[in-house]
Amino acid sequence: MQSIKAVAFDAYGTLFDVHSVTAKTERLFPGHGKRISEIWRQKQLEYTWLRSLMGRYIDFWRVTDDALKYALKTLRLQANDRTRIVLLQEYLVLKPFPEVFSVLQQLKPVTTLAILSNGTPQMLNSIVNDAGLGPFFSAVLSADAIKIYKPYMGVYQLLPANLGFRKEEILFVSANSWDAAGAKAFGLAVCWVNRSNMPFDELDVTPDLVVNNLEQLKNILLR
Amino acid sequence: MQSIKAVAFDAYGTLFDVHSVTAKTERLFPGHGKRISEIWRQKQLEYTWLRSLMGRYIDFWRVTDDALKYALKTLRLQANDRTRIVLLQEYLVLKPFPEVFSVLQQLKPVTTLAILSNGTPQMLNSIVNDAGLGPFFSAVLSADAIKIYKPYMGVYQLLPANLGFRKEEILFVSANSWDAAGAKAFGLAVCWVNRSNMPFDELDVTPDLVVNNLEQLKNILLR
């Protein structure tokens, strides 16, 4: 890890817990909160992949809304626009995982920190600022800049292009196995955060580092 | 439907039941058959989308093998290569849905019939011939010809390019909502076969026709 000059984090699922929406989904739809959250996230990802392949980009806020619509329809839950927007706005206040603040605080003095995410700049600024993480990041980069989603190679290219380091000098950190695979295929150094003890996706690439949480990564980087 | 000059079917999930593998998965892994089949199919689709976006195409046989590897790992089931290949070979003898033979037999005299699928030519020929459907099809087209998967627009372009009809003269039939959406975005006439009463994916397009099975589609086409 000596050659690493910057650490770039994925946002959703890596720094921020997408399932922190569950408190609100469960309150509005008792007994369905967890399933709404699961289908919502799965469809959100699928729609980014499908729209990118179809060449029909819309931004991540609208993708997230579409995915929520699908989740509610699948579970046969009635929701007017107002209810749906109340849920959608949870994406502006997603909670960071418990170790995030402390880890970023300790890494900040020794390396350049960045975010690379599918989220719109507005969505990313909102969750970063809501969690008080703004001062830690030198750059918050969004796939929205090129109107296509991960794991398209051009999205990962935003990191060397904006940070001014070579691919292999940037450690990309993601809890999403397919995202870690995309970054590795592009040529970044990659750490997969395997938060829930799952197998790595079978995409013919292997991450350089596997940890269970960001605390472990911090210990490796600072040792 | 008067302007329709050809009917092109998706293969997996539309003509052939991907979950007909379950008898074998259940026999080899009692109690896990259904879950293996579900994860296997989900990951098979995800890997086609992810690899297409990553620009790292491998053929559908290998994608299907990778997806099976992931499914077995996720469920913590041990399988040697021989067991995995036994399961994988079920994809060469997938069963058609019950109405398929009769529907194709009745449509054949009145229109041109084709298949457009992600499957390799070998995989498609195997299931088509195993089910005795070979004589019905004028063309069996595979995404393998252009080394990228649905819903990339170029895959749907294989239909007008090979059948010699205009986009809007070709009715594309798929039970996969995202596939129907891709075909519609490309400009084909589209029938979605909603076999399990699900919502249509939220991708800003609407199929021209929705049926619950191919028998209903045949009745519409022949009336």
Side-chain angles (χ1 to χ4, degrees):
Chain A
M1 294 287 118
Q2 290 103 319
S3 60
I4 296 303
K5 303 210 168 136
V7 180
F9 297 88
D10 167 56
Y12 301 105
T14 302
L15 295 175
F16 298 91
D17 183 0
V18 292
H19 297 298
S20 64
V21 301
T22 308
K24 188 62 72 73
T25 54
E26 181 62 26
R27 194 158 69 72
L28 292 181
F29 296 101
H32 298 286
K34 187 155 174 289
R35 277 302 282 153
I36 293 172
S37 180
E38 287 167 356
I39 299 169
W40 188 1
R41 173 61 172 169
Q42 176 64 31
K43 282 288 158 179
Q44 181 193 48
L45 292 175
E46 289 187 9
Y47 290 173
T48 60
W49 302 329
L50 290 167
R51 283 188 169 276
S52 294
L53 265 179
M54 289 164 72
R56 287 172 77 104
Y57 180 88
I58 58 174
D59 76 26
F60 199 64
W61 182 252
R62 291 180 57 203
V63 164
T64 303
D65 189 18
D66 285 346
L68 176 56
K69 282 182 200 163
Y70 184 93
L72 294 170
K73 280 187 192 169
T74 295
L75 298 171
R76 278 127 178 105
L77 299 170
Q78 298 292 329
N80 57 28
D81 284 355
R82 190 163 169 280
T83 303
R84 218 184 61 243
I85 289 166
V86 166
L87 288 179
L88 192 55
Q89 285 178 334
E90 287 297 293
Y91 256 84
L92 300 177
V93 290
L94 291 179
K95 295 297 152 247
F97 288 99
E99 78 275 23
V100 166
F101 190 95
S102 151
V103 164
L104 295 175
Q105 197 171 34
Q106 291 172 78
L107 289 179
K108 173 71 177 162
V110 301
T111 188
T112 297
L113 300 177
I115 286 177
L116 175 67
S117 165
N118 278 340
T120 65
Q122 294 82 348
M123 292 172 80
L124 295 171
N125 288 339
S126 176
I127 51 178
V128 165
N129 292 332
D130 185 67
L133 305 178
F136 298 135
F137 295 109
S138 303
V140 176
L141 304 171
S142 167
D144 195 59
I146 58 166
K147 311 293 183 202
I148 187 168
Y149 289 109
K150 299 174 182 176
Y152 179 71
M153 297 290 105
V155 179
Y156 302 106
Q157 174 62 32
L158 291 171
L159 282 171
N162 282 275
L163 298 182
F165 298 116
R166 289 182 291 119
K167 291 176 184 187
E168 58 275 21
E169 294 173 332
I170 301 168
L171 181 68
F172 180 71
V173 182
S174 182
N176 298 293
S177 161
W178 58 270
D179 184 23
K184 189 67 209 167
F186 171 69
L188 298 167
V190 169
C191 172
W192 177 41
V193 186
N194 185 7
R195 291 192 183 277
S196 40
N197 197 19
M198 296 290 282
F200 196 74
D201 271 308
E202 298 282 338
L203 292 164
D204 281 343
V205 287
T206 310
D208 300 287
L209 198 60
V210 180
V211 297
N212 294 119
N213 53 57
L214 296 174
E215 182 75 16
Q216 286 179 8
L217 171 64
K218 179 213 68 181
N219 290 337
I220 292 167
L221 289 172
L222 295 184
R223 95 182 150 203
Chain B
M1 295 287 118
Q2 290 103 320
S3 60
I4 296 303
K5 304 211 169 134
V7 181
F9 297 87
D10 167 56
Y12 301 106
T14 303
L15 295 175
F16 298 92
D17 184 359
V18 292
H19 297 299
S20 63
V21 302
T22 309
K24 187 63 71 72
T25 54
E26 181 63 25
R27 194 159 68 73
L28 291 180
F29 297 101
H32 299 285
K34 188 157 174 288
R35 279 302 283 151
I36 294 172
S37 179
E38 287 166 356
I39 300 169
W40 188 0
R41 173 61 172 170
Q42 176 64 30
K43 282 288 158 180
Q44 181 193 48
L45 292 176
E46 289 187 9
Y47 290 173
T48 60
W49 303 329
L50 291 166
R51 283 187 169 275
S52 294
L53 266 179
M54 290 164 71
R56 287 172 78 105
Y57 180 89
I58 58 174
D59 76 27
F60 200 64
W61 182 252
R62 291 180 56 203
V63 164
T64 303
D65 189 18
D66 284 347
L68 175 57
K69 282 182 199 162
Y70 184 92
L72 295 170
K73 279 188 191 169
T74 295
L75 297 171
R76 278 132 179 103
L77 299 170
Q78 300 290 331
N80 56 28
D81 284 355
R82 190 161 169 281
T83 303
R84 217 182 63 245
I85 290 167
V86 166
L87 287 178
L88 191 55
Q89 285 179 334
E90 286 296 294
Y91 256 83
L92 300 177
V93 291
L94 292 179
K95 295 297 153 246
F97 289 99
E99 78 277 23
V100 166
F101 190 94
S102 153
V103 165
L104 295 176
Q105 197 171 33
Q106 291 172 77
L107 288 179
K108 173 70 176 163
V110 300
T111 189
T112 297
L113 299 176
I115 286 177
L116 175 66
S117 165
N118 278 339
T120 64
Q122 294 81 349
M123 292 171 80
L124 294 172
N125 288 338
S126 175
I127 50 178
V128 166
N129 292 333
D130 186 65
L133 306 177
F136 298 135
F137 295 108
S138 303
V140 177
L141 304 171
S142 167
D144 194 60
I146 59 167
K147 312 290 182 204
I148 187 167
Y149 290 109
K150 299 175 183 177
Y152 180 71
M153 296 291 105
V155 180
Y156 302 107
Q157 176 61 34
L158 291 171
L159 282 172
N162 283 276
L163 299 182
F165 298 116
R166 287 180 293 120
K167 291 176 184 186
E168 59 274 21
E169 295 174 331
I170 301 168
L171 181 68
F172 181 70
V173 182
S174 182
N176 297 293
S177 162
W178 58 270
D179 185 23
K184 189 68 209 163
F186 172 69
L188 298 168
V190 169
C191 172
W192 178 40
V193 187
N194 186 6
R195 291 193 183 276
S196 41
N197 197 20
M198 296 291 282
F200 195 74
D201 270 309
E202 299 281 338
L203 292 165
D204 281 344
V205 287
T206 311
D208 300 287
L209 196 61
V210 181
V211 297
N212 294 120
N213 54 58
L214 295 174
E215 182 76 15
Q216 286 178 9
L217 171 63
K218 180 214 69 182
N219 291 336
I220 292 166
L221 289 172
L222 294 186
R223 92 183 151 200

